[in-house]
Amino acid sequence: MTTRAGFIALIGEPNAGKSTLTNRMVGAKVSIVTHKVQTTRARIRGVAMEGDSQLIFVDTPGLFKPRRRLDRAMVAAAWGGAADADIIVLLIEAHRGVTEGVERIIDGLAELPHGRKVALAINKIDRVEAPVLLALSKDLNDRYAFANTFMISAERGYGVADLRKWLAEEVPESPWLYPEDQIADLPMRMIAAEMTREKLTLRLHQELPYQLTVETEHWQEREDGSARIDQIIYVSRDGHKGIVLGHKGETIKAIGQAARAEIEEFLGRKIHLFLQVKVRENWQDEAERYSEMGLDFKDGN
Ligand SMILES: Nc1nc2c(ncn2[C@@H]2O[C@H](COP(=O)(O)OP(=O)(O)OP(=O)(O)O)[C@@H](O)[C@H]2O)c(=O)[nH]1
Ligand SMILES: [Mg+2]
């Protein structure tokens, strides 16, 4: 049997649907998804099998004009993921078309190692009519020599099977790189922290989700098969702590319940989740916070 395996980087503007597509390909939620931009902060690998091919999807942070140190580290992680991959899939939002951000990304593609294969996936086709799609596809293919173009809805699953089949043929001949039953390449403590960050992002407004980070501090297995997980939510201001806690601690309680339910579902066993909020004014300038997130601190320079 000839086996194949390769890394497929999913890149695009924030909110394009990269994490949704990763999860759909893997068949499980390995990367968090919200309706807000800049949800994913580091590279997250999800593993999928298609026939004799192992497809390792590299979900990346969205590409945007970075301002803060954290932004720069995120964008560097995304381009780094693209540079290391066997195949790149650029996700575009069908209803937004060729934005300034998309133009900038296409310019960036020219700087990748020569001969890198890039496919185009126009996502969210459930939101537009067919003629719009055809015009958009032509416009984008005039701008860059994509190896192939797919029209998909990551959320509903349209067109995803075609994309997956094509990728399975395109990845290089290689032994499989992960055990067949592995679906993610991210420590469980990080996945658990991400799940809590997702609930915080969904629940808190405006800038606050961007001003916090979550870390799993302790993970203790218990004899009854359950686990106790202690996490710290770092916020940058005293006022933020109050908002995260909420009146009589109601906000943090709801967030904790939602996160626990999701971690339990992922692990298939009982979890006791304890959340603590700490004010750490300069967490965005601390190298350790970045390594906990899976980012390179130096990239933020
Ligand atoms: N209508 C529609 N919505 C979609 C589709 N795919 C993703 N979405 C929604 O788009 C939003 C962003 O999805 P994500 O998967 O978090 O996007 P992302 O590219 O990972 O975003 P960042 O991590 O912020 O870069 C979510 O609300 C998704 O539910 C789709 O095919 N159709
Ligand atoms: Mg994402």
Side-chain angles (χ1 to χ4, degrees):
M1 177 175 84
T2 315
T3 59
R4 294 177 175 274
F7 291 88
I8 298 139
L10 305 179
I11 67 166
E13 284 194 283
N15 234 17
K18 302 174 293 295
S19 301
T20 306
L21 183 60
T22 301
N23 294 339
R24 177 159 292 278
M25 288 295 190
V26 171
K29 186 163 165 185
V30 295
S31 192
I32 63 171
V33 169
T34 79
H35 58 287
K36 297 187 182 171
V37 297
Q38 296 166 35
T39 297
T40 306
R41 285 185 178 164
R43 284 185 292 241
I44 295 179
R45 291 191 193 139
V47 188
M49 297 297 304
E50 170 76 24
D52 297 331
S53 298
Q54 185 169 61
L55 307 176
I56 302 135
F57 290 92
V58 185
D59 182 17
T60 66
L63 293 163
F64 59 102
K65 233 188 199 154
R67 292 177 212 287
R68 309 174 297 169
R69 175 168 202 134
L70 175 60
D71 299 343
R72 289 192 292 275
M74 284 162 56
V75 169
W79 278 119
D84 293 344
D86 296 293
I87 303 172
I88 296 164
V89 179
L90 171 62
L91 266 81
I92 302 284
E93 284 174 282
H95 60 291
R96 293 184 67 229
V98 184
T99 59
E100 228 176 89
V102 167
E103 285 182 335
R104 231 182 357 252
I105 294 171
I106 291 175
D107 289 343
L109 290 177
E111 281 161 45
L112 287 169
H114 193 69
R116 192 56 44 93
K117 201 167 268 181
V118 187
L120 172 67
I122 300 178
N123 187 31
K124 310 195 183 181
I125 58 168
D126 52 291
R127 298 191 59 165
V128 297
E129 305 292 330
V132 176
L133 277 179
L134 295 177
L136 179 58
S137 167
K138 180 170 183 324
D139 182 358
L140 285 160
N141 277 283
D142 284 344
R143 291 167 190 262
Y144 189 86
F146 291 105
N148 208 338
T149 299
F150 298 87
M151 314 273 190
I152 67 168
S153 169
E155 195 164 74
R156 303 198 184 179
Y158 310 150
V160 172
D162 284 346
L163 172 58
R164 189 211 274 264
K165 214 171 263 153
W166 181 77
L167 292 168
E169 289 162 9
E170 292 293 326
V171 288
E173 278 186 22
S174 155
W176 293 336
L177 305 168
Y178 290 89
E180 233 176 308
D181 56 355
Q182 185 167 345
I183 57 167
D185 180 9
L186 194 68
M188 200 45 229
R189 55 202 303 276
M190 253 193 219
I191 295 182
E194 283 288 272
M195 286 172 173
T196 301
R197 194 166 62 80
E198 180 190 83
K199 303 310 172 202
L200 287 158
T201 304
L202 290 172
R203 183 107 189 179
L204 303 170
H205 302 293
Q206 291 160 351
E207 274 302 296
L208 225 169
Y210 305 103
Q211 306 277 352
L212 59 80
T213 189
V214 183
E215 292 178 14
T216 299
E217 181 84 342
H218 289 293
W219 187 300
Q220 188 193 7
E221 295 295 336
R222 290 190 167 173
E223 276 181 8
D224 62 4
S226 68
R228 176 189 167 125
I229 303 172
D230 287 88
Q231 293 179 335
I232 300 180
I233 300 165
Y234 289 106
V235 296
S236 48
R237 278 190 244 148
D238 228 9
H240 290 171
K241 180 172 176 173
I243 299 171
V244 173
L245 293 174
H247 181 59
K248 291 186 180 161
E250 274 165 8
T251 305
I252 188 109
K253 191 171 162 204
I255 286 165
Q257 280 170 351
R260 175 179 51 77
E262 200 158 303
I263 300 168
E264 282 185 338
E265 195 190 313
F266 190 88
L267 292 175
R269 61 199 174 103
K270 195 162 172 50
I271 293 299
H272 310 274
L273 178 65
F274 294 87
L275 301 179
Q276 195 189 345
V277 187
K278 280 192 187 169
V279 181
R280 191 87 145 228
E281 239 170 79
N282 296 321
W283 72 261
Q284 293 196 27
D285 295 311
E286 294 174 349
E288 199 191 336
R289 306 281 82 76
Y290 286 68
S291 55
E292 281 287 328
M293 274 185 261
L295 286 174
D296 193 335
F297 184 65
K298 292 191 300 303
D299 283 343
N301 272 327

